[in-house]
Amino acid sequence: MVADSLRERILSGDLADGAMLPKQEDLISEFGVSPPSIREACRILETEGLITVQRGNVGGAVVHQPRASMAAYMIGLVLQSKRTNLLDIVTAMRRLEPACVAACAARPDRAKTVLPGLRALLDAAEEAMDDADAYVQLARQFHVELVSCCGNETMSLIVGALESLWSVHVDVLARKPSQLGSFADRKVRLATAREHEHIYDLIAKGDERGAEQASRDHFSEEMHESEGWQHGFNVKATVTASLMRDT
């Protein structure tokens, strides 16, 4: 009962992100329960990632609004328990991300809500063309931005969780130039940049079908399922949820 009540306050914003949970004695007085009940309620909320209990002289519990990374981490845990490989995630993104791209093109407010962020990433990627490692990160962020700007909260959360999982694995796989796969070739970087520009242009025009198809074609160019690699990254590797902890 206590956990349900406090959770509702956190989710509704009555308890703001970064605020302190009421002191234990205040909660005991409010709910008329024993200290162990309050501690158990806090344990439940801490497990859910909604609070962080600070022990010691400072004491108290800090409130956290739910974050998208929490969803990605939980999905990652389930996938890891099933020994799911990265190819499974990439295949899902190949089917789902184009729908997000079409939604971006369909937004009547795309000139303000979609295009500026994408343009900034494309320009930054162009400037980083000779830095393969930096380019990989910016190219990945372009895909993340497409999903986050689609205008549908559910799609942004679910597909975004997959994007986050894939991105953090790419970050690990591409930390050294020797692990950059085909992205180590400047011609490949230039080709992907052109494809990203094409997707951007179609979104700017409001061409839903064209943008969606361009996104599908982009994934088809990147993906080599029979070989189990994408741009030199081994997608046969198993999902590792713990990588999300540092994001």
Side-chain angles (χ1 to χ4, degrees):
M1 179 189 71
V2 174
D4 287 346
S5 178
L6 294 175
R7 184 187 301 109
E8 176 59 31
R9 294 183 198 178
I10 294 171
L11 297 179
S12 68
D14 288 344
L15 287 171
D17 187 64
M20 298 298 295
L21 205 65
K23 294 181 179 179
Q24 178 174 285
E25 52 266 33
D26 294 332
L27 294 174
I28 291 172
S29 176
E30 176 183 350
F31 292 102
V33 297
S34 63
S37 294
I38 297 298
R39 287 194 293 270
E40 178 62 14
C42 288
R43 186 195 65 78
I44 292 171
L45 295 176
E46 188 169 31
T47 300
E48 295 174 351
L50 296 177
I51 66 171
T52 298
V53 176
Q54 298 178 333
R55 296 171 176 81
N57 294 329
V58 178
V62 181
V63 172
H64 305 295
Q65 282 292 318
R67 300 181 301 277
S69 60
M70 294 166 57
Y73 178 60
M74 293 306 298
I75 291 174
L77 286 176
V78 175
L79 293 177
Q80 184 174 339
S81 73
K82 295 178 178 295
R83 304 295 298 168
T84 305
N85 60 31
L86 297 176
L87 173 60
D88 201 76
I89 291 179
V90 175
T91 300
M93 291 193 308
R94 184 176 60 172
R95 295 179 182 276
L96 298 174
E97 187 178 307
C100 295
V101 173
C104 285
R107 293 192 65 167
D109 60 350
R110 61 187 177 280
K112 293 182 178 180
T113 59
V114 180
L115 298 179
L118 294 179
R119 183 72 265 161
L121 287 167
L122 289 173
D123 291 344
E126 179 66 27
E127 293 180 4
M129 190 60 65
D130 293 323
D131 185 339
D133 183 60
Y135 179 84
V136 167
Q137 308 309 318
L138 290 165
R140 259 291 67 234
Q141 188 57 41
F142 179 81
H143 288 268
V144 172
E145 186 75 4
L146 285 170
V147 173
S148 68
C149 291
C150 73
N152 182 282
E153 291 294 341
T154 303
M155 290 174 67
S156 292
L157 178 64
I158 302 303
V159 184
L162 300 180
E163 294 281 359
S164 295
L165 279 170
W166 171 244
S167 293
V168 74
H169 282 81
V170 168
D171 181 56
V172 172
L173 293 169
R175 279 177 179 166
K176 298 178 181 179
S178 61
Q179 297 174 318
L180 287 170
S182 61
F183 275 117
D185 187 342
R186 193 174 190 276
K187 293 180 180 179
V188 172
R189 300 197 296 275
L190 286 170
T192 58
R194 285 194 297 269
E195 291 170 9
H196 287 177
E197 285 282 358
H198 182 49
I199 292 172
Y200 173 88
D201 290 340
L202 292 169
I203 291 174
K205 294 175 182 177
D207 186 349
E208 296 179 51
R209 292 186 178 181
E212 183 173 7
Q213 187 57 54
S215 178
R216 293 189 189 283
D217 293 343
H218 180 57
F219 269 102
S220 296
E221 288 295 323
E222 287 188 345
M223 198 61 213
H224 306 288
E225 290 187 40
S226 60
E227 301 173 17
W229 295 78
Q230 185 187 45
H231 275 310
F233 303 140
N234 182 10
V235 293
K236 292 181 180 179
T238 301
V239 173
T240 304
S242 61
L243 295 178
M244 288 301 303
R245 292 176 181 171
D246 297 327
T247 62

